[in-house]
Amino acid sequence: MASACATASDPARSAGAAIDAAAFRHALGHFCSGVVIVTAAGPEGLAGFTCQSFFSLSLSPPLIAFSPAISSTSYPRIRSAGAFCINILAEDQAELCARFSRSGTDKWSETGWRQGDTGSPVLDGVLSAIECRIVDERETGDHYLVIGEVVRLHTQGGRPLLCFSGATARIAGDCPTS
Ligand SMILES: Cc1cc2nc3c(=O)[nH]c(=O)nc-3n(C[C@H](O)[C@H](O)[C@H](O)COP(=O)(O)O)c2cc1C
């Protein structure tokens, strides 16, 4: 007799039919994290977008990963550059966070930055900037999973900008700042 429960091998479940998109966003929005801006300078000029899907992947070798939407107009330009910089935002950079989340707008004329060793923009005032070269990319659902090998670190420290439930936030109390 067939089970009433879907299983991992059920085609309907693997197609995502059992999970409502709004419920998915609501549940996943409860994951609190920092926020980064991924930047690059490629043949088509400067590119950058706000990104929450960043994580440390491996220490030896030093690898990190992030997930740009397949619909992102910035990611193809980052891919063409072959290198990028992960800029970890400080608590006073909510406006910068919003600026780099607006597709098709001028993200750069009001943004302070300097060129890193890979040519990628290192944004002013960020807690850390992690320069990487792209070593792997795979298509996963409606996003790519991009893996970068870390080639240069710039660390300033300070208090982080947080992302929670679709909004930015700050840590209210004491937190380490080094
Ligand atoms: C806090 C926050 C986190 C985001 N995280 C991601 C992410 O992980 N991946 C992604 O593709 N877009 C993410 N976005 C949306 C992109 O920043 C936005 O779609 C982007 O600017 C796309 O523009 P583009 O067409 O210039 O690439 C995030 C936006 C915000 C405000």
Side-chain angles (χ1 to χ4, degrees), residues 129-176:
I130 303 161
E131 292 191 73
C132 306
R133 64 181 187 90
I134 297 175
V135 292
D136 196 12
E137 174 198 294
R138 60 197 63 193
E139 201 173 306
T140 48
D142 54 11
H143 281 61
Y144 298 106
L145 178 64
V146 180
I147 298 178
E149 181 177 23
V150 178
V151 295
R152 180 86 162 89
L153 297 168
H154 314 259
T155 305
Q156 177 177 304
R159 296 172 65 92
L161 186 66
L162 305 182
C163 180
F164 181 68
S165 199
T168 53
R170 298 173 178 220
I171 295 174
D174 292 339
C175 76

Side-chain angles (χ1 to χ4, degrees), residues 80-167:
S80 302
F84 61 89
C85 183
I86 297 287
N87 296 270
I88 300 179
L89 298 188
E91 67 174 11
D92 62 355
Q93 293 183 312
E95 195 279 324
L96 193 67
C97 172
R99 185 184 311 161
F100 277 81
S101 71
R102 290 192 282 266
S103 190
T105 59
D106 172 19
K107 298 176 177 178
W108 292 98
S109 62
E110 301 290 316
T111 301
W113 61 279
R114 67 182 193 280
Q115 199 171 45
D117 293 358
T118 59
S120 311
V122 173
L123 302 182
D124 292 352
V126 297
L127 302 191
S128 283
I130 303 161
E131 292 191 73
C132 306
R133 64 181 187 90
I134 297 175
V135 292
D136 196 12
E137 174 198 294
R138 60 197 63 193
E139 201 173 306
T140 48
D142 54 11
H143 281 61
Y144 298 106
L145 178 64
V146 180
I147 298 178
E149 181 177 23
V150 178
V151 295
R152 180 86 162 89
L153 297 168
H154 314 259
T155 305
Q156 177 177 304
R159 296 172 65 92
L161 186 66
L162 305 182
C163 180
F164 181 68
S165 199

Side-chain angles (χ1 to χ4, degrees), residues 34-36 48-54 66-77 97-105 107 143 162-163 166-168:
V35 195
V36 306
F49 76 101
T50 299
C51 178
Q52 185 187 18
S53 61
F54 159 71
F66 69 97
S67 298
I70 287 173
S71 60
S72 166
T73 60
S74 299
Y75 181 63
R77 294 159 64 199
C97 172
R99 185 184 311 161
F100 277 81
S101 71
R102 290 192 282 266
S103 190
T105 59
K107 298 176 177 178
H143 281 61
L162 305 182
C163 180
T168 53

Side-chain angles (χ1 to χ4, degrees), residues 14-36:
S14 57
I19 302 294
D20 173 72
F24 180 92
R25 285 199 191 92
H26 183 64
L28 274 289
H30 289 82
F31 179 64
C32 182
S33 74
V35 195
V36 306

